[in-house]
Structure formats: C-alpha cells, structure tokens
Amino acid sequence: MAIFKESDLPGIGKKFQVETQSGDKLVIVIHDDGRRELYHFNEDDPEEVISSVTLQDDEARQVAAIIGGMTYKPKALETIEVSLEDLVIEWCKIEPYFNSVGKTIAELEVRQRTGATILALIEKHKQKIIPGPEDRLEADMTVVIAGERKQIKLLNELLKNG
C-alpha cells in the first residue's frame, strides 16, 4: 500500500511525499506562487534525486488531468471511480443506443433529476471541462460525473433511458 505524507513549508508552500507500492519515492512541492516541483528519488538511496521537473500552474493542472484520467481512460478499465468520503467520480461512455444522445444537459435536467454533476465531456481529439447546460451529449462521448453513489446510479439510468 502506498504511503502519503503532507507537510507545510512556511513561506514556500506544501510538500507531499509519496512512497508507492513498487518502492518508488516521489516528492511534490507546491509553491505559493503556483509552481510545482517533482522529485523522483533513487530506490537504493532515498536521499539521491534521480530526476526533477518544474511545472507552472497551468502545466501542472494539465498533467494532473492526464494522470487522473480526465483526458484518456485506458481501454482495460470499464469504469473508474474515485471515492472521496461520500463523493464518487465516475467515467461513463455514451453508447449510440442511449436515449440521451443528441440531448443537452438542460433538456435532460441532470442536476434537478439526479443531484449529480457532470464535470467534463470528453470526445476524441477534444475535451470540454465544466460543460454548460447547452452542451449536447453525443454517441461515443465520455462523461465524467460526480455525486453520491445513489445520484451516480440515477444519472447512469438517465443517460441510458433519456
């Protein structure tokens, strides 16, 4: 099991240390000015840095989206979910036979009928984070949704049945 540690760096920002199941050690420093520094350490000598990268805020957010699966979901994973207390984030592919195809988020009354939130609409070669009510659901689009488990279930049913 991975080990995560967090510590304040007064006047600098925050430091996050990750020791992975595979034995890798990664340190991420988030500076108060938005910069992020990533350090990868030698497994045999945990004090020796193998490599480091510095990212600006916008670069770090794009990398986070990539790592978090917002831009691409591996084919082997039918559903991915991340649980944060009672909040669940799930990816749902809109199949061509779904009754929601061609309808807007407003037409489906997603929030009112389910309580869940659509965080992103992802299509091949383009991505739309934080879509609006006028955005239309299309076949083969991936919808990133958030809510409690019962809300996610209701939204999945709404997407399938319209």
Side-chain angles (χ1 to χ4, degrees), residues 37-81:
E37 295 175 339
L38 288 76
Y39 299 94
H40 182 213
F41 289 83
N42 186 334
E43 190 174 343
D44 297 327
D45 181 359
E47 300 302 314
E48 181 186 344
V49 175
I50 296 172
S51 63
S52 67
V53 176
T54 300
L55 301 170
Q56 296 304 315
D57 183 68
D58 60 330
E59 296 167 328
R61 291 179 188 281
Q62 184 63 36
V63 169
I66 292 166
I67 291 172
M70 294 288 287
T71 59
Y72 173 75
K73 178 180 76 169
K75 304 247 185 281
L77 303 175
E78 284 298 313
T79 57
I80 295 175
E81 62 179 48

Short mmCIF file of all heavy atoms in Angstrom, two decimals, residues 37-81:
data_model
loop_
_atom_site.label_atom_id
_atom_site.label_comp_id
_atom_site.label_asym_id
_atom_site.label_seq_id
_atom_site.Cartn_x
_atom_site.Cartn_y
_atom_site.Cartn_z
N GLU A 37 7.18 21.46 -8.13
CA GLU A 37 8.44 20.75 -8.36
C GLU A 37 8.21 19.29 -8.00
O GLU A 37 7.65 18.99 -6.95
CB GLU A 37 9.57 21.33 -7.50
CG GLU A 37 9.92 22.75 -7.88
CD GLU A 37 10.96 23.35 -6.93
OE1 GLU A 37 11.12 22.87 -5.80
OE2 GLU A 37 11.59 24.33 -7.35
N LEU A 38 8.63 18.41 -8.91
CA LEU A 38 8.51 16.97 -8.68
C LEU A 38 9.91 16.38 -8.61
O LEU A 38 10.75 16.68 -9.48
CB LEU A 38 7.75 16.30 -9.83
CG LEU A 38 6.25 16.57 -9.91
CD1 LEU A 38 5.96 17.94 -10.44
CD2 LEU A 38 5.61 15.53 -10.77
N TYR A 39 10.14 15.57 -7.60
CA TYR A 39 11.44 14.93 -7.41
C TYR A 39 11.24 13.42 -7.31
O TYR A 39 10.41 12.96 -6.52
CB TYR A 39 12.12 15.43 -6.12
CG TYR A 39 12.40 16.92 -6.13
CD1 TYR A 39 11.49 17.81 -5.57
CD2 TYR A 39 13.55 17.41 -6.71
CE1 TYR A 39 11.74 19.17 -5.57
CE2 TYR A 39 13.81 18.78 -6.73
CZ TYR A 39 12.89 19.65 -6.15
OH TYR A 39 13.13 21.00 -6.17
N HIS A 40 12.00 12.68 -8.09
CA HIS A 40 11.97 11.21 -8.06
C HIS A 40 13.29 10.75 -7.46
O HIS A 40 14.36 11.17 -7.91
CB HIS A 40 11.79 10.67 -9.48
CG HIS A 40 11.71 9.20 -9.55
ND1 HIS A 40 12.21 8.49 -10.62
CD2 HIS A 40 11.20 8.27 -8.71
CE1 HIS A 40 11.99 7.20 -10.42
NE2 HIS A 40 11.38 7.05 -9.27
N PHE A 41 13.23 9.91 -6.43
CA PHE A 41 14.42 9.52 -5.69
C PHE A 41 14.87 8.11 -6.05
O PHE A 41 14.06 7.26 -6.43
CB PHE A 41 14.15 9.60 -4.17
CG PHE A 41 14.03 11.01 -3.68
CD1 PHE A 41 12.84 11.70 -3.78
CD2 PHE A 41 15.13 11.66 -3.14
CE1 PHE A 41 12.73 13.01 -3.35
CE2 PHE A 41 15.04 12.97 -2.70
CZ PHE A 41 13.84 13.65 -2.80
N ASN A 42 16.17 7.86 -5.88
CA ASN A 42 16.78 6.56 -6.11
C ASN A 42 16.24 5.57 -5.07
O ASN A 42 16.25 5.85 -3.88
CB ASN A 42 18.31 6.68 -6.00
CG ASN A 42 19.02 5.42 -6.36
OD1 ASN A 42 18.49 4.32 -6.23
ND2 ASN A 42 20.26 5.57 -6.79
N GLU A 43 15.78 4.42 -5.53
CA GLU A 43 15.22 3.41 -4.63
C GLU A 43 16.27 2.89 -3.64
O GLU A 43 15.98 2.64 -2.48
CB GLU A 43 14.67 2.24 -5.45
CG GLU A 43 13.87 1.26 -4.65
CD GLU A 43 13.21 0.19 -5.52
OE1 GLU A 43 13.11 0.39 -6.73
OE2 GLU A 43 12.83 -0.83 -4.95
N ASP A 44 17.52 2.77 -4.10
CA ASP A 44 18.60 2.26 -3.24
C ASP A 44 19.13 3.31 -2.26
O ASP A 44 19.63 2.99 -1.20
CB ASP A 44 19.76 1.73 -4.09
CG ASP A 44 19.33 0.56 -4.96
OD1 ASP A 44 18.45 -0.22 -4.52
OD2 ASP A 44 19.85 0.43 -6.08
N ASP A 45 19.03 4.59 -2.65
CA ASP A 45 19.48 5.69 -1.79
C ASP A 45 18.37 6.73 -1.76
O ASP A 45 18.30 7.61 -2.62
CB ASP A 45 20.78 6.29 -2.34
CG ASP A 45 21.30 7.42 -1.46
OD1 ASP A 45 20.65 7.76 -0.44
OD2 ASP A 45 22.36 7.98 -1.80
N PRO A 46 17.48 6.66 -0.76
CA PRO A 46 16.31 7.55 -0.73
C PRO A 46 16.63 9.03 -0.59
O PRO A 46 15.74 9.86 -0.60
CB PRO A 46 15.50 7.04 0.47
CG PRO A 46 16.41 6.18 1.25
CD PRO A 46 17.52 5.73 0.36
N GLU A 47 17.89 9.40 -0.47
CA GLU A 47 18.27 10.81 -0.40
C GLU A 47 18.77 11.32 -1.75
O GLU A 47 18.95 12.53 -1.93
CB GLU A 47 19.35 11.02 0.67
CG GLU A 47 18.91 10.60 2.07
CD GLU A 47 17.66 11.34 2.54
OE1 GLU A 47 17.59 12.57 2.38
OE2 GLU A 47 16.74 10.67 3.05
N GLU A 48 19.03 10.42 -2.71
CA GLU A 48 19.58 10.81 -4.02
C GLU A 48 18.46 11.03 -5.03
O GLU A 48 17.68 10.13 -5.32
CB GLU A 48 20.53 9.73 -4.54
CG GLU A 48 21.14 10.09 -5.88
CD GLU A 48 21.98 8.94 -6.47
OE1 GLU A 48 22.34 8.01 -5.73
OE2 GLU A 48 22.23 9.00 -7.67
N VAL A 49 18.40 12.24 -5.58
CA VAL A 49 17.39 12.58 -6.58
C VAL A 49 17.82 12.02 -7.93
O VAL A 49 18.93 12.30 -8.40
CB VAL A 49 17.18 14.10 -6.67
CG1 VAL A 49 16.23 14.46 -7.79
CG2 VAL A 49 16.68 14.66 -5.35
N ILE A 50 16.94 11.22 -8.55
CA ILE A 50 17.21 10.68 -9.89
C ILE A 50 16.85 11.73 -10.94
O ILE A 50 17.57 11.93 -11.90
CB ILE A 50 16.37 9.40 -10.15
CG1 ILE A 50 16.79 8.30 -9.20
CG2 ILE A 50 16.50 8.96 -11.59
CD1 ILE A 50 15.90 7.07 -9.27
N SER A 51 15.70 12.37 -10.75
CA SER A 51 15.25 13.37 -11.71
C SER A 51 14.33 14.36 -11.03
O SER A 51 13.76 14.08 -9.98
CB SER A 51 14.53 12.71 -12.89
OG SER A 51 13.35 12.07 -12.44
N SER A 52 14.18 15.53 -11.67
CA SER A 52 13.26 16.53 -11.15
C SER A 52 12.65 17.29 -12.31
O SER A 52 13.24 17.39 -13.38
CB SER A 52 13.95 17.48 -10.18
OG SER A 52 14.89 18.29 -10.87
N VAL A 53 11.45 17.81 -12.08
CA VAL A 53 10.72 18.58 -13.10
C VAL A 53 10.07 19.75 -12.38
O VAL A 53 9.54 19.60 -11.28
CB VAL A 53 9.62 17.71 -13.76
CG1 VAL A 53 8.80 18.52 -14.74
CG2 VAL A 53 10.22 16.49 -14.44
N THR A 54 10.09 20.92 -13.02
CA THR A 54 9.37 22.08 -12.51
C THR A 54 8.27 22.42 -13.50
O THR A 54 8.51 22.51 -14.70
CB THR A 54 10.31 23.29 -12.35
OG1 THR A 54 11.35 22.94 -11.42
CG2 THR A 54 9.56 24.51 -11.83
N LEU A 55 7.05 22.57 -12.99
CA LEU A 55 5.88 22.87 -13.82
C LEU A 55 5.25 24.17 -13.35
O LEU A 55 5.17 24.43 -12.15
CB LEU A 55 4.83 21.75 -13.72
CG LEU A 55 5.28 20.35 -14.12
CD1 LEU A 55 4.20 19.34 -13.73
CD2 LEU A 55 5.53 20.29 -15.61
N GLN A 56 4.77 24.97 -14.29
CA GLN A 56 3.96 26.13 -13.96
C GLN A 56 2.55 25.64 -13.62
O GLN A 56 2.19 24.49 -13.90
CB GLN A 56 3.93 27.13 -15.12
CG GLN A 56 5.29 27.72 -15.44
CD GLN A 56 5.94 28.40 -14.23
OE1 GLN A 56 5.31 29.15 -13.50
NE2 GLN A 56 7.23 28.11 -14.00
N ASP A 57 1.73 26.51 -13.04
CA ASP A 57 0.40 26.11 -12.57
C ASP A 57 -0.43 25.47 -13.68
O ASP A 57 -0.99 24.39 -13.50
CB ASP A 57 -0.34 27.32 -11.99
CG ASP A 57 -1.69 26.93 -11.43
OD1 ASP A 57 -1.72 26.22 -10.41
OD2 ASP A 57 -2.71 27.33 -12.01
N ASP A 58 -0.50 26.10 -14.86
CA ASP A 58 -1.33 25.56 -15.94
C ASP A 58 -0.79 24.22 -16.44
O ASP A 58 -1.56 23.31 -16.78
CB ASP A 58 -1.48 26.56 -17.09
CG ASP A 58 -0.15 26.96 -17.72
OD1 ASP A 58 0.88 26.95 -17.01
OD2 ASP A 58 -0.15 27.29 -18.93
N GLU A 59 0.53 24.06 -16.47
CA GLU A 59 1.13 22.79 -16.88
C GLU A 59 0.81 21.69 -15.87
O GLU A 59 0.46 20.57 -16.24
CB GLU A 59 2.65 22.94 -17.01
CG GLU A 59 3.09 23.91 -18.08
CD GLU A 59 4.56 24.28 -17.97
OE1 GLU A 59 5.10 24.33 -16.84
OE2 GLU A 59 5.15 24.55 -19.02
N ALA A 60 0.90 22.04 -14.59
CA ALA A 60 0.62 21.06 -13.52
C ALA A 60 -0.83 20.60 -13.59
O ALA A 60 -1.12 19.42 -13.41
CB ALA A 60 0.93 21.67 -12.15
N ARG A 61 -1.75 21.51 -13.86
CA ARG A 61 -3.16 21.15 -13.94
C ARG A 61 -3.43 20.22 -15.13
O ARG A 61 -4.21 19.29 -15.04
CB ARG A 61 -4.04 22.40 -14.00
CG ARG A 61 -4.02 23.15 -12.69
CD ARG A 61 -4.87 24.41 -12.70
NE ARG A 61 -4.67 25.16 -11.48
CZ ARG A 61 -5.24 24.86 -10.32
NH1 ARG A 61 -6.04 23.85 -10.22
NH2 ARG A 61 -4.99 25.60 -9.25
N GLN A 62 -2.76 20.46 -16.26
CA GLN A 62 -2.93 19.59 -17.41
C GLN A 62 -2.36 18.19 -17.12
O GLN A 62 -2.98 17.19 -17.43
CB GLN A 62 -2.26 20.20 -18.65
CG GLN A 62 -2.48 19.40 -19.91
CD GLN A 62 -3.94 19.30 -20.32
OE1 GLN A 62 -4.70 20.23 -20.15
NE2 GLN A 62 -4.34 18.16 -20.84
N VAL A 63 -1.18 18.15 -16.49
CA VAL A 63 -0.60 16.86 -16.12
C VAL A 63 -1.50 16.13 -15.14
O VAL A 63 -1.72 14.92 -15.25
CB VAL A 63 0.84 17.04 -15.55
CG1 VAL A 63 1.35 15.75 -14.92
CG2 VAL A 63 1.78 17.51 -16.65
N ALA A 64 -2.07 16.85 -14.19
CA ALA A 64 -2.98 16.24 -13.22
C ALA A 64 -4.20 15.65 -13.92
O ALA A 64 -4.66 14.56 -13.58
CB ALA A 64 -3.42 17.27 -12.18
N ALA A 65 -4.72 16.35 -14.92
CA ALA A 65 -5.87 15.84 -15.68
C ALA A 65 -5.49 14.57 -16.42
O ALA A 65 -6.26 13.61 -16.48
CB ALA A 65 -6.38 16.90 -16.65
N ILE A 66 -4.29 14.55 -16.98
CA ILE A 66 -3.83 13.36 -17.70
C ILE A 66 -3.66 12.19 -16.74
O ILE A 66 -4.19 11.10 -16.97
CB ILE A 66 -2.50 13.65 -18.44
CG1 ILE A 66 -2.75 14.65 -19.57
CG2 ILE A 66 -1.88 12.37 -18.96
CD1 ILE A 66 -1.48 15.26 -20.13
N ILE A 67 -2.95 12.40 -15.65
CA ILE A 67 -2.71 11.32 -14.69
C ILE A 67 -4.02 10.86 -14.06
O ILE A 67 -4.24 9.67 -13.85
CB ILE A 67 -1.71 11.78 -13.60
CG1 ILE A 67 -0.32 11.95 -14.23
CG2 ILE A 67 -1.65 10.77 -12.46
CD1 ILE A 67 0.70 12.57 -13.32
N GLY A 68 -4.91 11.81 -13.77
CA GLY A 68 -6.19 11.48 -13.15
C GLY A 68 -7.20 10.84 -14.08
O GLY A 68 -8.28 10.46 -13.65
N GLY A 69 -6.86 10.73 -15.35
CA GLY A 69 -7.74 10.06 -16.29
C GLY A 69 -8.80 10.94 -16.92
O GLY A 69 -9.75 10.44 -17.51
N MET A 70 -8.65 12.26 -16.80
CA MET A 70 -9.65 13.16 -17.37
C MET A 70 -9.55 13.23 -18.89
O MET A 70 -10.52 13.55 -19.56
CB MET A 70 -9.50 14.57 -16.80
CG MET A 70 -9.79 14.66 -15.33
SD MET A 70 -11.53 14.50 -14.96
CE MET A 70 -12.13 16.07 -15.52
N THR A 71 -8.37 12.98 -19.45
CA THR A 71 -8.20 13.12 -20.90
C THR A 71 -8.18 11.78 -21.62
O THR A 71 -8.39 11.72 -22.81
CB THR A 71 -6.91 13.88 -21.23
OG1 THR A 71 -5.80 13.18 -20.68
CG2 THR A 71 -6.96 15.29 -20.68
N TYR A 72 -7.90 10.69 -20.91
CA TYR A 72 -7.87 9.37 -21.54
C TYR A 72 -8.12 8.31 -20.48
O TYR A 72 -7.52 8.33 -19.42
CB TYR A 72 -6.50 9.13 -22.19
CG TYR A 72 -6.35 7.71 -22.72
CD1 TYR A 72 -6.99 7.33 -23.88
CD2 TYR A 72 -5.59 6.77 -22.04
CE1 TYR A 72 -6.87 6.03 -24.37
CE2 TYR A 72 -5.46 5.49 -22.51
CZ TYR A 72 -6.10 5.11 -23.68
OH TYR A 72 -5.99 3.84 -24.15
N LYS A 73 -9.02 7.40 -20.80
CA LYS A 73 -9.31 6.29 -19.90
C LYS A 73 -8.78 5.02 -20.56
O LYS A 73 -9.19 4.70 -21.67
CB LYS A 73 -10.81 6.17 -19.65
CG LYS A 73 -11.17 5.00 -18.76
CD LYS A 73 -12.65 4.91 -18.53
CE LYS A 73 -13.30 4.34 -19.77
NZ LYS A 73 -14.68 3.96 -19.64
N PRO A 74 -7.87 4.29 -19.90
CA PRO A 74 -7.38 3.05 -20.50
C PRO A 74 -8.52 2.11 -20.86
O PRO A 74 -9.48 1.98 -20.12
CB PRO A 74 -6.49 2.45 -19.40
CG PRO A 74 -6.10 3.62 -18.57
CD PRO A 74 -7.27 4.56 -18.62
N LYS A 75 -8.42 1.49 -22.03
CA LYS A 75 -9.48 0.62 -22.53
C LYS A 75 -9.78 -0.54 -21.58
O LYS A 75 -10.91 -1.01 -21.54
CB LYS A 75 -9.08 0.06 -23.90
CG LYS A 75 -8.77 1.15 -24.91
CD LYS A 75 -9.77 1.17 -26.00
CE LYS A 75 -9.42 2.16 -27.07
NZ LYS A 75 -9.71 3.51 -26.80
N ALA A 76 -8.79 -0.99 -20.84
CA ALA A 76 -8.98 -2.15 -19.95
C ALA A 76 -9.90 -1.83 -18.78
O ALA A 76 -10.42 -2.73 -18.14
CB ALA A 76 -7.64 -2.63 -19.43
N LEU A 77 -10.11 -0.54 -18.51
CA LEU A 77 -10.93 -0.16 -17.37
C LEU A 77 -12.33 0.21 -17.82
O LEU A 77 -12.54 1.23 -18.47
CB LEU A 77 -10.29 1.02 -16.64
CG LEU A 77 -8.86 0.79 -16.14
CD1 LEU A 77 -8.31 2.06 -15.54
CD2 LEU A 77 -8.81 -0.34 -15.14
N GLU A 78 -13.30 -0.61 -17.49
CA GLU A 78 -14.68 -0.34 -17.87
C GLU A 78 -15.21 0.88 -17.14
O GLU A 78 -15.81 1.75 -17.72
CB GLU A 78 -15.57 -1.55 -17.58
CG GLU A 78 -15.41 -2.66 -18.59
CD GLU A 78 -15.79 -2.23 -19.99
OE1 GLU A 78 -16.85 -1.62 -20.17
OE2 GLU A 78 -15.00 -2.50 -20.91
N THR A 79 -15.01 0.91 -15.83
CA THR A 79 -15.39 2.08 -15.06
C THR A 79 -14.28 2.35 -14.06
O THR A 79 -13.69 1.44 -13.52
CB THR A 79 -16.71 1.88 -14.27
OG1 THR A 79 -16.57 0.74 -13.44
CG2 THR A 79 -17.90 1.71 -15.19
N ILE A 80 -14.03 3.61 -13.91
CA ILE A 80 -13.07 4.04 -12.89
C ILE A 80 -13.86 4.85 -11.90
O ILE A 80 -14.72 5.62 -12.28
CB ILE A 80 -11.99 4.95 -13.51
CG1 ILE A 80 -11.15 4.20 -14.53
CG2 ILE A 80 -11.11 5.56 -12.44
CD1 ILE A 80 -10.15 5.09 -15.23
N GLU A 81 -13.59 4.66 -10.65
CA GLU A 81 -14.20 5.57 -9.71
C GLU A 81 -13.23 5.92 -8.62
O GLU A 81 -12.36 5.15 -8.25
CB GLU A 81 -15.51 5.02 -9.14
CG GLU A 81 -15.38 3.76 -8.36
CD GLU A 81 -16.73 3.32 -7.83
OE1 GLU A 81 -17.70 3.31 -8.59
OE2 GLU A 81 -16.77 3.00 -6.64
#
